[in-house]
Amino acid sequence: MYQTMSLPLYSGSFEEYHGWGDLRAELAALGCDGMEGIWSGEEFPEDLPADLVIGYHLTFYPDWLDFYRDDRRALKRKFGSLDAAARFYGGPGPETLLEQYRADLRRAAGLNPHYVVFHVSDVSIEEGYTYHWLHTNQEVIDAAVEVINLILGTETW
């Protein structure tokens, strides 16, 4: 098992360190093998040593299943409009989500991490407060497996 520190792969995250050697020393002092990186919405620093990135955390939406299923009624209820949902997810439909994951896998592959994290969960804000689940565990697992198979495609990751 790797011991890692989660860190956005964002230039601002690295400003407090005086170079990559300083970050390596901090990771070692914390007993970490490296870091688990997550994309921050900008290009990775060009000189980022890939060996520092032991793991990679894929993009994650806590509440994604209704968007993936294109359940417009549920999206309107949660977001007020389909336009608001599209702004939140970055596009108008399920293919948006799949392409975000594919792009994130390509970013991860460029770093060659030892592992990639994909969360298998779906919890809306409402569910977090009420504990009234809108989808069963089986529905979430089945959809996650479908998404994983679609984003992996025929690539040899």
Side-chain angles (χ1 to χ4, degrees):
M1 176 184 287
Y2 296 106
Q3 298 296 318
T4 61
M5 176 176 72
S6 184
L7 198 64
L9 300 177
Y10 160 68
S11 57
S13 298
F14 304 120
E15 288 176 356
E16 68 182 89
Y17 303 101
H18 303 288
W20 300 117
D22 190 32
L23 176 56
R24 284 183 197 282
E26 179 69 16
L27 291 167
L30 294 170
C32 294
D33 302 302
M35 62 181 164
E36 181 179 289
I38 186 167
W39 184 55
S40 66
E42 70 175 37
E43 295 296 319
F44 301 147
E46 287 186 25
D47 61 340
L48 173 66
D51 67 307
L52 280 176
V53 184
I54 302 294
Y56 188 85
H57 193 290
L58 291 176
T59 298
F60 173 66
Y61 293 99
D63 182 4
W64 61 275
L65 189 52
D66 291 326
F67 182 72
Y68 175 68
R69 288 179 167 175
D70 202 22
D71 185 338
R72 295 170 184 216
R73 183 175 168 195
L75 291 170
K76 284 180 188 177
R77 186 178 63 74
K78 290 178 181 180
F79 289 92
S81 72
L82 293 178
D83 286 341
R87 285 192 306 273
F88 179 81
Y89 291 104
E95 189 57 37
T96 298
L97 187 65
L98 296 174
E99 189 46 45
Q100 287 175 10
Y101 280 127
R102 289 180 188 118
D104 219 10
L105 277 172
R106 288 189 295 271
R107 281 187 286 274
L111 296 170
N112 197 30
H114 295 261
Y115 67 89
V116 174
V117 175
F118 179 92
H119 282 282
V120 179
S121 65
D122 180 78
V123 180
S124 67
I125 293 172
E126 175 186 341
E127 291 167 306
Y129 283 110
T130 66
Y131 290 86
H132 176 254
W133 310 116
L134 301 173
H135 307 292
T136 66
N137 290 340
Q138 194 63 54
E139 287 175 299
V140 174
I141 291 167
D142 289 347
V145 168
E146 184 176 309
V147 166
I148 291 167
N149 285 328
L150 287 169
I151 64 175
L152 292 179
T154 58
E155 291 284 334
T156 305
W157 299 99

